[in-house]
Structure formats: C-alpha cells, structure tokens
Amino acid sequence: MSPVSGLLGVLLLASAARGFGILPGNSRSHQEITEEAILNVTVQVCRALAEAEGNDFALPSQPFTASGVAAACRAEGSVKSFRRAIGSITLRNVRVDLLEALNASFHFDDETFVSGRDIITEGLQTVKADNKRQNFEAAQDSLGETLHTLQDFYSHSNWAENGNALPNSNLIRPDASIGNLADESRATCRSCDGDDCRNNILEDIAREQILTTGYFAVIPGTASKPTGKCSHGGALDLTSRIEPTGGINKDTFESEHGFLHAEAAALATMATSEILEDVRRAAGNQPFLQMLGISRGSGKALCFVIDTTQSMSDDIAAVRSAASSLIDGQAGTDDEPSAYILVPFNDPTFGPPIRTSDPEAFENFLDDLTASGGGDDEEPSLSGLQLALTDAPRSSDIFLFTDAPAKDRQLRSTVIALIERTQSAVYFLITQTTANGRRRRRQNRPQAPGRIAESDARLYEELAEAAGGLVVELRQDELQEAVGIIGQMSRSSLVTLARGSGTPGDDGDFTFVVDQTVGDLQLLLTGPSSLITVTDPQGGRQEFNAMSLRPVGNLQTLRLRPQVGRWRVAVQSPNAYALKAVGQSPIDFLFDFVEYVPSQNTFDVLDTRPRAGANGSLLVTLTDADAANVTRVVLAEVAGSAEVPGDVEALGRGRYLVRVPSVPSAPFVVRVEGNAPDAAGEASPFQRESATSFRASNITIKAQAARNLVPGTPLSVPFSVTVRGTGGNVSIRATTNNPLYAADAPGSLPAEPGASANGTVALSVPLNTPSGTTVTLVIEAEGPGGGGDVNYVVLRISVLNPVSDFAPPACELLCVVRCVRNCRAAPWHLLVMVSDGAEGTGVERVSLARGNGTLYVRPAPDNRNVTLATYDALCGSPDVELLVVDNVGNADTCSFNAFTASGGGRAAFFLSWAALALALGVLQSLDLC
C-alpha cells in the first residue's frame, strides 16, 4: 500500500468517528437532525406567513414529511425542489466528515472552541450573503457544512454534561463569549472505570460550568494530549488509551457518553433550528423559503437564453409574445416558476444573467431587449447557455432561442458537464426562413434554404440529447405555438416515462409503463417521421403520420388517453429523430451519484462523472415517499437495450442507496421502477426515467477548494488526475461562469496509467466582486490522444468580503402617542429611529414581524445608517415587533407596547436629544407628536 493510499484509508476510518452518525440507525444521525430542524422551522415560517395574510394554517401530521410540510405551506408543486434542497444541505453536512476528518476545528475536538466558532460564524455570513444575491444553491452548500460543525459541538463538548437544556446561542455570534473555556493546563477528566465513563469528567468542571471537549488522533505517532485532558473516545481514537483513558463523545448510544446521546441530539436539533431562524430573519420569509425550494408554485426557474443579434429582430418580438402567454398561463397555479432568468447573448458579448421573482418585471426585461450587431454566421450561444446553467437552480428548464450555429464550440464539453451536474433540460428553438423569406445569409453552406447545416445542428442535437430536451427547427411565425407546447415541459408535476433517439433510417421501438397516477400522457417527437405506431396496454394499435400529427416545424406531438400498463411506440423514419414520453404525476425521483464506503457505511456526492466499468453507487430519493416505494433501479444505455441493474437498499424517508456492479461506458439514463397503490389499495408498478443522460469515464479527477474566495486574493485549487489504460499527456481546461474571473491552469499534465498527476488552478475575482457572488469552476481533463474521454469536476465557491460588522441595528424610541384609556378603537402612533452605528454597514430592512397596524419606513436625511419607522395602529392591537436587519445580515427585533411605550429584546431603546434632532424634519411634517 502506498503512503497516499494508507492515509486515505485512515481518513475514511476517521470519518466514521467524527460526530453524529451518517446513515440512519438506532442513534440520531446528522441527516435526521438537520432534516427535522428544517421541517420544523419551515412549518413555523409558513404558519407566520399564513397568519400575516389572514389565512388559517393546518399543521401537517406528525412526524413531519417534506410532502406534508409543502402541502401545509400551500406549495404542493414545489415538493420536488424542497426535497432536493433538504438533500443538498444534508449531504453537504455529511461531506465535512469525509473532507475534514482530521481537522479538529470542524468538529470542536481538542478544545478548539474559538476556531470552531469561527467556522460557524463565517459559514453563517456566507449563507446570508449568498441568499442576498439569490444564489440559493450556494447557500444550501454553505449551510450544510456549517451545520455539521455546529451539531458536533453538542456531541463532542460537555455542554450537555453541564446540565444545559438550551443550545449555546453565542456559537453563532462572533462578538460574544462562548462560555467559561478550560485553560490548556487545566485537567478536565479522570480515566473511565472500565467501560463505565459516566463519572470521568471532574466534579469541579461541572460545578464551575467549564467547557471542554475531547482530544482525538487516529494516525499512529500523532496521538497526544495535554495532561489530564479528556479524549473523544472510541476504538479509533488513539488518545483514548492515554491517561486519562476513555472518552466523552455522545455520537451514538454506544459511545462512552452515549447515555446523553438523546440529550445531545436534541440540543443539536434546537441549535440547528436557531441558526435557521437567524438565516430566516436576515433573508426574509419568502427568500428563506426559496432557499429551501418552497414557493407557491413549481419551485423551478423559467430560463430564457436569447440571441439578440440583428437577424433576430423579428424573432425577439415573437419570443416576447410567446413568453407572455406562457407566464400568464402559469400565474397563480402550481406551475408558476419561483424565479425568472434571462440571459441575452450577442457577438462577442453575452450576459449578464438577469434574475427576478416578479413575472411582470421579467416581461419588462424582455420588452427592453433590442436586436443589433452580429453580421457573421455564428454566435456565442454556448456561452449564454453556460451562464444559464450556472445561474439557474438544479433541474431547471432552459429555452434557448437562436437562428445561428454556435461559434464557441470549444465549450461543448463544459456545457455537457454542467448539464449533467445540474440535471437541467435544455430546449433549442431554432428559427429558420420566415413567411416572407427573410433570414440571415449563410454563404457557402450546402444546406436547404433557411436551415442551418447538419453539422451545426448536430451540436445542438447532442446537447439536447444530453439534457433530455429537444431541438425544434421552425419558422418565426410558429414560435408562439411551439413555445406553448414546449413550455408545458416546465410544469411542476411533469415526469419522464421514456426517451430515445435514432439516426436516419434507424427504426426505433420503445416501451414504457403508465401507472394510475399519470395524467396528460404525451409523446413529443422531433425529426419528420414517416410513421408512428402506438400500442396501448390492451393491445390496441394506432398509426400516425406527419399529416395526422400536424407538426409545428419539425416538432410533432401526440396526446394519448392514459391507460395503466405497458405501452409500446414504434418509430419509422428516414430522418434523425428524438422522442420523449411524458406525463403528469406526483411520483418522481431525485438522485445523485455518490462514492460509497462500505466498511464505514457512508458516502459522498460525486462532483464528477463516475468511473466507467467500475462499481458505482447512487442515492435515490422519491418525491412522494408516502405514495410509492422503489424496487428496482437500472442504468439503461441510451442507444441500445443494455441495462445494468443495481442492488437497492432502503434508508428510510423515501431514500434508497443503490449499488451497481459496473457503470456503462456508453451514455445512459437512470430508470427507477417500483410500486404505488392503486385505487383499490393494491400494488401497481410505476416507472420513471431521468431526463438527463450521463456518461462515465476512464479518467478520475478530484479537486477540493476552500469554502470562500476573497476578492483580489488568488485562491489555489489543487486537483489530481488519474488515467486508466494508456498513459500520456492529459489535456486540462479550467473555465468559470464569468470571463472576468481568472482561472489559470496548466494546459496539460503527464499521467502514467494508474498513477495520479497533480496540478493547481489559480482562481481570482476582481476587487469589486460583491459578497454572495457564486464562482462556478469547471476543471476538465481529456485523455491522452484526444480520444474524447473527458471527465470534469464542478466546484461552486462563494465570494465573501471580510466582515467586521457583527452588531445588529439598534432601535431608539423617538416619539409615541400612547393609549391612555381603555378604548380599543382609539389610534396610537409610534416613531422609531433604527441605526446601525457609525461603523456599521447600514440598515437594509425594517419590517413588521408582529402587529396588525401599518408600518411606514423612510431613510433619515443625509445618513445612510439611519432609518425612520412610523407605525400606526388601533389600541385594540397594542403590541408591535419590528425586525431590523443590516446589510450583512445581522438581525434583531424591537418590541413596543401602546400602553407602556416600553420595549423589550436585545436592541437598545432610549430617547436621545441627538436622535430627536436628527428626526426633527420628519417630526415637523407629521401630525404625530
């Protein structure tokens, strides 16, 4: 065994002993703690929103589930995005044990209280900055990593042993005391009495409420700890054999202090809820729910990538009209997007992405588009698509409008990598000759009039095949109808039943299963076909040709009456074609490729392609765990009938770990089969396929980056590449989601078969890059000889400027007209000055957290750090609570009462002459005091 392999083995062993468990079992795991807190806080936020809107709120049944909570929040359409967000956060939590196994600070081992708290507070700042810029998936990543360290405090410290029933709130406040910390020279433990460690913490430590944690070491020759200190404990901890022996961790019921495991897990759950509440106050209710994938609609983004060169002038008007119809048709339904994203591209410019949650604002952005420039045959369409894939949430539906081939073909593999990582569907709508024959001239191209060349179209077809989308070639006057058809693909409950494609003259035969939950069954086919034969489960046959299908451009659609059972579709075509069978159903699945470690029963999500021909693992999650169960998962080759079935292990809560013996070398999709009860309660089979197709690779690439990037300070991102088979020079490419972000990498690395070659990417962003910006770094490695075997690693890194403002804004009561008699209909008034102090970052928001009156907010004259808030209500509603937030997310509440004019909470309340002088101009204009 090589030294590197030996160290890796040690790290994997250590990961199993670094906190609460990973996978479900008798003890509470990090996933269970995190998910329970997310569900609880989400319920509270949705209840507060319902009460503010004057609506009733019905608590979901216990125990809370994602589907039950989404329904209670009146967001049934966003169950899938809610489950995806929970999964992303919990898996990032788990990753800390794998990547930071020996870093004591990430686990509060070795009495690393200050550095552990720094990890939490910096992570919290990152989450708030990401949310402020609506980079919600980056916020999920940072939140998951931060929660791991926070939760480990309660498992590894003696907070529970000291009798604390509430969490340590100062762990999320960088300017507060963590507690009475043990000096390095102070003894904290005695040896356990055999296997009995109930009394190994010294009595004076508990009496004086001293905080300590255990020491931990797993690598031989590194085990040491100061005299008299506690150890973490467990079979792998070498310090637990040094006097004082034993340990104090509460990771499981079987741990040395497992008798307090339930208490530690409860404290960790409360602390997780507390940090989520802090994030909510900083972001606001709706953005907080968006971070968790919850919205009063689909939870998905509607993303348009539009060519704005001169030849698209007529098309842009048609796109506006088509988009308006699509947006208006989705408004107020379960299919209404949670976000709208517009990425224009011209030549040579592209972007920046424009994002909004307001459909009217999005339509205004579309109205502002103008066509200009261009002039040559090709446009940077892949650059625009790359921006969309990095800015839109996972599993988005992206619609790209152009009339030209791509001039940036070098981004092909990067775009495919992002499609695979985001599992987004991409639909290309390519406009051709209009009714009056006008279109850009393409010289020396032997194609039919008004059609881009086959070689150019093939690139778009390849990308659409990878993304589970379609390439629709049509006239400009057909855009409205085509967008209406393709726009249905963005429905929240859309599921893929089957997909396939064929080359010219390649007849296809496809089968799929329809269960009782499937409605609105449709076939979509691109590429004019001669004949489609559909056989239903009862054996009935129907034949359709191009005339009976009434194509729109090269798109043919066929709506079928759903029948439960197995369907067959035969396609005869002299042309290349792509087929999708879709329907609507509450039963769907999410999945990630993971690296599974059987000996430790743990896994990590892959940021790369899986290894071809080797065993692999997937984590599959059903969107409605109460309505179905999974019995079979296969990797099915896209071209052909070969399938690789996996071994399915239920993990609970609708999650399944799937192990496959050999990942296919050819492109494949993930197919999930199972049972769902029919109307009579009997088990009925269902089948779903991933819209995205995937590829494996003989190249392994790994990289790890720091959580944050400081503007103007280069960040080194080390990576390694391993090649199976023939060695040689491996080509390296590093790209980012913004041309202003520099990613300097070696052009190639020499790699011997089976050995690793190491390199570094130097990443940097301009000084003026705001906090919360997401940098998406894609590092690609192409095998020797340029044979097309490419693997990649996709890293998402948040920009964070140093923060020195840790204090929330303070409230000063300037003036109040009190309620002096018991008259509920009498009015009362309040004027409050909210200030962030001379050194603060400024007041971002003052909002009504509680109260039935009216709040007016205005900035104070000539003072960016001061906001004036006026509140009017009736004496029947005498209490008001204001939420005050500064520009880096420090938040607090200010409470007032109409009869006493008193306040409560952490914020300061006092009447100052300076404050009155500042507000004098406002006071004089008010009929108030």
Side-chain angles (χ1 to χ4, degrees), residues 725-777:
T726 305
N729 285 331
V730 178
S731 298
I732 303 296
R733 291 183 295 272
T735 57
T736 66
N737 55 321
N738 190 317
L740 296 178
Y741 306 158
D744 297 323
S748 64
L749 290 175
E752 296 297 327
S756 294
N758 300 316
T760 300
V761 175
L763 182 66
S764 61
V765 299
L767 279 170
N768 61 351
T769 307
S771 288
T773 300
T774 297
V775 179
T776 302
L777 173 64

Short mmCIF file of all heavy atoms in Angstrom, two decimals, residues 725-777:
data_model
loop_
_atom_site.label_atom_id
_atom_site.label_comp_id
_atom_site.label_asym_id
_atom_site.label_seq_id
_atom_site.Cartn_x
_atom_site.Cartn_y
_atom_site.Cartn_z
N GLY A 725 -5.68 2.71 -18.32
CA GLY A 725 -5.32 2.36 -19.69
C GLY A 725 -4.03 3.04 -20.10
O GLY A 725 -3.08 3.13 -19.33
N THR A 726 -3.99 3.56 -21.31
CA THR A 726 -2.78 4.15 -21.87
C THR A 726 -2.47 5.48 -21.21
O THR A 726 -3.34 6.34 -21.07
CB THR A 726 -2.94 4.36 -23.38
OG1 THR A 726 -3.29 3.12 -23.98
CG2 THR A 726 -1.65 4.88 -23.99
N GLY A 727 -1.22 5.66 -20.80
CA GLY A 727 -0.80 6.92 -20.22
C GLY A 727 -0.41 7.91 -21.29
O GLY A 727 -0.48 7.65 -22.50
N GLY A 728 0.00 9.10 -20.85
CA GLY A 728 0.39 10.15 -21.77
C GLY A 728 -0.02 11.50 -21.22
O GLY A 728 -0.33 11.64 -20.04
N ASN A 729 -0.01 12.50 -22.07
CA ASN A 729 -0.37 13.85 -21.65
C ASN A 729 -1.89 14.01 -21.61
O ASN A 729 -2.57 13.74 -22.61
CB ASN A 729 0.23 14.89 -22.59
CG ASN A 729 1.73 15.06 -22.35
OD1 ASN A 729 2.23 14.85 -21.24
ND2 ASN A 729 2.45 15.42 -23.39
N VAL A 730 -2.38 14.45 -20.47
CA VAL A 730 -3.81 14.72 -20.29
C VAL A 730 -4.04 16.21 -20.48
O VAL A 730 -3.40 17.04 -19.83
CB VAL A 730 -4.28 14.28 -18.88
CG1 VAL A 730 -5.74 14.61 -18.68
CG2 VAL A 730 -4.01 12.80 -18.67
N SER A 731 -4.95 16.56 -21.39
CA SER A 731 -5.28 17.97 -21.63
C SER A 731 -6.14 18.51 -20.49
O SER A 731 -7.09 17.84 -20.06
CB SER A 731 -6.01 18.14 -22.96
OG SER A 731 -5.19 17.71 -24.03
N ILE A 732 -5.82 19.70 -20.02
CA ILE A 732 -6.53 20.32 -18.90
C ILE A 732 -7.17 21.62 -19.38
O ILE A 732 -6.53 22.44 -20.06
CB ILE A 732 -5.59 20.61 -17.73
CG1 ILE A 732 -4.89 19.33 -17.27
CG2 ILE A 732 -6.35 21.27 -16.57
CD1 ILE A 732 -5.82 18.27 -16.70
N ARG A 733 -8.44 21.83 -19.02
CA ARG A 733 -9.13 23.09 -19.27
C ARG A 733 -9.81 23.53 -17.98
O ARG A 733 -10.43 22.70 -17.30
CB ARG A 733 -10.17 22.95 -20.38
CG ARG A 733 -9.60 22.72 -21.76
CD ARG A 733 -10.72 22.66 -22.81
NE ARG A 733 -11.59 21.51 -22.59
CZ ARG A 733 -11.35 20.30 -23.11
NH1 ARG A 733 -10.28 20.10 -23.85
NH2 ARG A 733 -12.19 19.31 -22.89
N ALA A 734 -9.72 24.79 -17.67
CA ALA A 734 -10.40 25.34 -16.50
C ALA A 734 -11.22 26.55 -16.95
O ALA A 734 -10.69 27.47 -17.57
CB ALA A 734 -9.41 25.74 -15.41
N THR A 735 -12.53 26.53 -16.69
CA THR A 735 -13.40 27.63 -17.08
C THR A 735 -14.25 28.06 -15.89
O THR A 735 -14.48 27.28 -14.95
CB THR A 735 -14.33 27.21 -18.23
OG1 THR A 735 -15.10 26.06 -17.82
CG2 THR A 735 -13.56 26.86 -19.48
N THR A 736 -14.70 29.30 -15.94
CA THR A 736 -15.58 29.84 -14.91
C THR A 736 -16.83 30.39 -15.56
O THR A 736 -16.94 30.47 -16.79
CB THR A 736 -14.90 30.96 -14.10
OG1 THR A 736 -14.67 32.08 -14.98
CG2 THR A 736 -13.57 30.49 -13.51
N ASN A 737 -17.78 30.80 -14.74
CA ASN A 737 -19.05 31.30 -15.24
C ASN A 737 -19.03 32.79 -15.54
O ASN A 737 -20.08 33.40 -15.79
CB ASN A 737 -20.17 31.01 -14.23
CG ASN A 737 -19.87 31.55 -12.85
OD1 ASN A 737 -18.73 31.48 -12.39
ND2 ASN A 737 -20.87 32.08 -12.16
N ASN A 738 -17.85 33.40 -15.54
CA ASN A 738 -17.75 34.82 -15.86
C ASN A 738 -16.36 35.07 -16.45
O ASN A 738 -15.36 34.68 -15.83
CB ASN A 738 -17.97 35.67 -14.61
CG ASN A 738 -18.11 37.15 -14.91
OD1 ASN A 738 -17.37 37.72 -15.72
ND2 ASN A 738 -19.05 37.81 -14.25
N PRO A 739 -16.28 35.73 -17.61
CA PRO A 739 -14.96 35.96 -18.20
C PRO A 739 -14.06 36.86 -17.36
O PRO A 739 -12.85 36.89 -17.57
CB PRO A 739 -15.29 36.61 -19.56
CG PRO A 739 -16.68 37.12 -19.42
CD PRO A 739 -17.38 36.21 -18.47
N LEU A 740 -14.65 37.56 -16.38
CA LEU A 740 -13.85 38.42 -15.50
C LEU A 740 -13.18 37.62 -14.39
O LEU A 740 -12.31 38.15 -13.68
CB LEU A 740 -14.72 39.52 -14.89
CG LEU A 740 -15.33 40.53 -15.86
CD1 LEU A 740 -16.21 41.52 -15.11
CD2 LEU A 740 -14.24 41.25 -16.64
N TYR A 741 -13.59 36.37 -14.22
CA TYR A 741 -12.99 35.53 -13.18
C TYR A 741 -11.85 34.74 -13.82
O TYR A 741 -12.06 33.99 -14.78
CB TYR A 741 -14.01 34.55 -12.59
CG TYR A 741 -15.28 35.18 -12.06
CD1 TYR A 741 -16.45 34.44 -11.92
CD2 TYR A 741 -15.31 36.53 -11.70
CE1 TYR A 741 -17.61 35.01 -11.43
CE2 TYR A 741 -16.47 37.11 -11.22
CZ TYR A 741 -17.61 36.35 -11.09
OH TYR A 741 -18.76 36.93 -10.62
N ALA A 742 -10.66 34.89 -13.29
CA ALA A 742 -9.48 34.25 -13.86
C ALA A 742 -9.30 32.85 -13.29
O ALA A 742 -9.39 32.66 -12.07
CB ALA A 742 -8.23 35.09 -13.59
N ALA A 743 -9.08 31.89 -14.16
CA ALA A 743 -8.80 30.51 -13.74
C ALA A 743 -7.61 30.03 -14.54
O ALA A 743 -7.74 29.58 -15.69
CB ALA A 743 -10.01 29.61 -13.98
N ASP A 744 -6.41 30.15 -13.95
CA ASP A 744 -5.17 29.78 -14.63
C ASP A 744 -4.81 28.34 -14.26
O ASP A 744 -4.63 28.01 -13.08
CB ASP A 744 -4.05 30.73 -14.23
CG ASP A 744 -4.33 32.16 -14.68
OD1 ASP A 744 -4.91 32.32 -15.77
OD2 ASP A 744 -3.99 33.10 -13.93
N ALA A 745 -4.69 27.50 -15.29
CA ALA A 745 -4.40 26.08 -15.06
C ALA A 745 -3.37 25.62 -16.08
O ALA A 745 -3.23 26.21 -17.16
CB ALA A 745 -5.67 25.25 -15.19
N PRO A 746 -2.62 24.56 -15.78
CA PRO A 746 -1.69 24.01 -16.78
C PRO A 746 -2.47 23.48 -17.98
O PRO A 746 -3.57 22.93 -17.83
CB PRO A 746 -0.98 22.89 -16.03
CG PRO A 746 -1.90 22.52 -14.91
CD PRO A 746 -2.61 23.78 -14.52
N GLY A 747 -1.91 23.63 -19.18
CA GLY A 747 -2.58 23.13 -20.38
C GLY A 747 -2.62 21.62 -20.46
O GLY A 747 -3.52 21.05 -21.09
N SER A 748 -1.66 20.96 -19.83
CA SER A 748 -1.62 19.50 -19.84
C SER A 748 -0.82 19.00 -18.65
O SER A 748 -0.05 19.74 -18.04
CB SER A 748 -1.00 18.98 -21.15
OG SER A 748 0.36 19.37 -21.24
N LEU A 749 -1.03 17.72 -18.34
CA LEU A 749 -0.29 17.05 -17.27
C LEU A 749 0.12 15.67 -17.77
O LEU A 749 -0.67 14.96 -18.40
CB LEU A 749 -1.15 16.89 -16.01
CG LEU A 749 -1.49 18.14 -15.20
CD1 LEU A 749 -2.46 17.77 -14.07
CD2 LEU A 749 -0.25 18.79 -14.64
N PRO A 750 1.36 15.25 -17.51
CA PRO A 750 1.76 13.88 -17.86
C PRO A 750 1.19 12.91 -16.84
O PRO A 750 1.30 13.12 -15.63
CB PRO A 750 3.28 13.94 -17.80
CG PRO A 750 3.59 15.03 -16.82
CD PRO A 750 2.48 16.04 -16.95
N ALA A 751 0.55 11.85 -17.34
CA ALA A 751 -0.08 10.89 -16.42
C ALA A 751 0.30 9.47 -16.83
O ALA A 751 0.07 9.06 -17.96
CB ALA A 751 -1.59 11.06 -16.45
N GLU A 752 0.87 8.73 -15.89
CA GLU A 752 1.15 7.32 -16.11
C GLU A 752 -0.10 6.52 -15.76
O GLU A 752 -0.88 6.92 -14.89
CB GLU A 752 2.32 6.88 -15.21
CG GLU A 752 3.63 7.56 -15.55
CD GLU A 752 4.12 7.23 -16.94
OE1 GLU A 752 3.86 6.08 -17.40
OE2 GLU A 752 4.74 8.10 -17.58
N PRO A 753 -0.33 5.39 -16.40
CA PRO A 753 -1.52 4.58 -16.11
C PRO A 753 -1.61 4.22 -14.63
O PRO A 753 -0.65 3.71 -14.05
CB PRO A 753 -1.32 3.33 -16.98
CG PRO A 753 -0.41 3.78 -18.08
CD PRO A 753 0.50 4.79 -17.46
N GLY A 754 -2.75 4.51 -14.03
CA GLY A 754 -2.99 4.18 -12.63
C GLY A 754 -2.35 5.09 -11.63
O GLY A 754 -2.59 4.96 -10.42
N ALA A 755 -1.51 6.05 -12.06
CA ALA A 755 -0.86 6.98 -11.14
C ALA A 755 -1.52 8.35 -11.25
O ALA A 755 -2.10 8.70 -12.27
CB ALA A 755 0.63 7.08 -11.46
N SER A 756 -1.42 9.11 -10.19
CA SER A 756 -2.04 10.43 -10.17
C SER A 756 -1.07 11.50 -10.64
O SER A 756 0.13 11.46 -10.33
CB SER A 756 -2.51 10.79 -8.76
OG SER A 756 -3.56 9.94 -8.35
N ALA A 757 -1.58 12.44 -11.42
CA ALA A 757 -0.84 13.64 -11.79
C ALA A 757 -1.52 14.81 -11.11
O ALA A 757 -2.75 14.91 -11.12
CB ALA A 757 -0.85 13.82 -13.31
N ASN A 758 -0.72 15.67 -10.51
CA ASN A 758 -1.27 16.76 -9.70
C ASN A 758 -1.07 18.10 -10.37
O ASN A 758 -0.05 18.36 -11.02
CB ASN A 758 -0.60 16.78 -8.31
CG ASN A 758 -0.82 15.48 -7.57
OD1 ASN A 758 -1.93 14.95 -7.56
ND2 ASN A 758 0.23 14.96 -6.94
N GLY A 759 -2.05 18.97 -10.21
CA GLY A 759 -1.98 20.32 -10.74
C GLY A 759 -2.71 21.28 -9.83
O GLY A 759 -3.33 20.89 -8.85
N THR A 760 -2.65 22.56 -10.18
CA THR A 760 -3.28 23.60 -9.38
C THR A 760 -3.92 24.63 -10.31
O THR A 760 -3.32 25.02 -11.30
CB THR A 760 -2.28 24.31 -8.46
OG1 THR A 760 -1.69 23.34 -7.58
CG2 THR A 760 -2.96 25.37 -7.62
N VAL A 761 -5.13 25.04 -9.97
CA VAL A 761 -5.78 26.15 -10.65
C VAL A 761 -5.68 27.37 -9.75
O VAL A 761 -6.02 27.31 -8.56
CB VAL A 761 -7.26 25.84 -10.96
CG1 VAL A 761 -7.94 27.07 -11.56
CG2 VAL A 761 -7.37 24.66 -11.89
N ALA A 762 -5.20 28.48 -10.30
CA ALA A 762 -5.15 29.75 -9.57
C ALA A 762 -6.41 30.52 -9.93
O ALA A 762 -6.58 30.96 -11.07
CB ALA A 762 -3.90 30.54 -9.93
N LEU A 763 -7.28 30.69 -8.96
CA LEU A 763 -8.58 31.32 -9.18
C LEU A 763 -8.62 32.68 -8.51
O LEU A 763 -8.19 32.83 -7.36
CB LEU A 763 -9.69 30.42 -8.61
CG LEU A 763 -11.13 30.86 -8.78
CD1 LEU A 763 -11.52 30.85 -10.26
CD2 LEU A 763 -12.05 29.95 -7.98
N SER A 764 -9.14 33.68 -9.21
CA SER A 764 -9.24 35.02 -8.62
C SER A 764 -10.40 35.76 -9.26
O SER A 764 -10.79 35.48 -10.39
CB SER A 764 -7.94 35.81 -8.80
OG SER A 764 -7.65 35.98 -10.17
N VAL A 765 -10.96 36.71 -8.49
CA VAL A 765 -12.04 37.56 -8.98
C VAL A 765 -11.67 39.01 -8.69
O VAL A 765 -10.86 39.30 -7.80
CB VAL A 765 -13.38 37.22 -8.30
CG1 VAL A 765 -13.79 35.78 -8.61
CG2 VAL A 765 -13.32 37.43 -6.79
N PRO A 766 -12.24 39.97 -9.44
CA PRO A 766 -11.89 41.38 -9.23
C PRO A 766 -12.23 41.87 -7.83
O PRO A 766 -13.10 41.32 -7.15
CB PRO A 766 -12.73 42.10 -10.29
CG PRO A 766 -13.01 41.07 -11.33
CD PRO A 766 -13.12 39.77 -10.59
N LEU A 767 -11.55 42.95 -7.43
CA LEU A 767 -11.74 43.50 -6.09
C LEU A 767 -13.17 43.95 -5.82
O LEU A 767 -13.63 43.93 -4.68
CB LEU A 767 -10.78 44.69 -5.89
CG LEU A 767 -9.34 44.33 -5.52
CD1 LEU A 767 -8.45 45.57 -5.60
CD2 LEU A 767 -9.28 43.73 -4.12
N ASN A 768 -13.87 44.38 -6.86
CA ASN A 768 -15.21 44.91 -6.65
C ASN A 768 -16.29 43.84 -6.71
O ASN A 768 -17.48 44.15 -6.76
CB ASN A 768 -15.52 45.99 -7.69
CG ASN A 768 -15.47 45.46 -9.12
OD1 ASN A 768 -15.05 44.33 -9.35
ND2 ASN A 768 -15.89 46.27 -10.07
N THR A 769 -15.91 42.57 -6.69
CA THR A 769 -16.90 41.49 -6.73
C THR A 769 -17.64 41.44 -5.39
O THR A 769 -17.02 41.29 -4.33
CB THR A 769 -16.22 40.13 -6.99
OG1 THR A 769 -15.42 40.23 -8.17
CG2 THR A 769 -17.26 39.05 -7.17
N PRO A 770 -18.96 41.56 -5.38
CA PRO A 770 -19.70 41.61 -4.11
C PRO A 770 -19.78 40.25 -3.42
O PRO A 770 -19.72 39.20 -4.07
CB PRO A 770 -21.09 42.10 -4.53
CG PRO A 770 -21.21 41.72 -5.96
CD PRO A 770 -19.83 41.78 -6.54
N SER A 771 -19.90 40.30 -2.10
CA SER A 771 -20.12 39.08 -1.32
C SER A 771 -21.40 38.39 -1.80
O SER A 771 -22.37 39.04 -2.17
CB SER A 771 -20.24 39.41 0.16
OG SER A 771 -19.00 39.78 0.71
N GLY A 772 -21.37 37.06 -1.75
CA GLY A 772 -22.53 36.29 -2.18
C GLY A 772 -22.49 35.91 -3.63
O GLY A 772 -23.34 35.13 -4.08
N THR A 773 -21.52 36.42 -4.38
CA THR A 773 -21.36 36.00 -5.76
C THR A 773 -20.87 34.55 -5.80
O THR A 773 -20.01 34.16 -5.02
CB THR A 773 -20.34 36.91 -6.48
OG1 THR A 773 -20.81 38.25 -6.46
CG2 THR A 773 -20.12 36.47 -7.92
N THR A 774 -21.44 33.78 -6.70
CA THR A 774 -21.03 32.39 -6.84
C THR A 774 -20.08 32.24 -8.02
O THR A 774 -20.40 32.67 -9.13
CB THR A 774 -22.24 31.46 -7.05
OG1 THR A 774 -23.07 31.52 -5.89
CG2 THR A 774 -21.79 30.03 -7.28
N VAL A 775 -18.94 31.65 -7.78
CA VAL A 775 -17.99 31.32 -8.84
C VAL A 775 -18.11 29.82 -9.10
O VAL A 775 -17.89 29.01 -8.20
CB VAL A 775 -16.55 31.68 -8.45
CG1 VAL A 775 -15.58 31.30 -9.57
CG2 VAL A 775 -16.43 33.16 -8.12
N THR A 776 -18.50 29.47 -10.33
CA THR A 776 -18.57 28.07 -10.72
C THR A 776 -17.33 27.74 -11.52
O THR A 776 -17.11 28.27 -12.61
CB THR A 776 -19.82 27.78 -11.55
OG1 THR A 776 -20.98 28.15 -10.80
CG2 THR A 776 -19.91 26.31 -11.90
N LEU A 777 -16.49 26.87 -10.96
CA LEU A 777 -15.25 26.47 -11.60
C LEU A 777 -15.40 25.05 -12.13
O LEU A 777 -15.74 24.13 -11.39
CB LEU A 777 -14.10 26.53 -10.59
CG LEU A 777 -12.73 25.98 -11.07
CD1 LEU A 777 -12.18 26.82 -12.22
CD2 LEU A 777 -11.74 25.93 -9.91
#
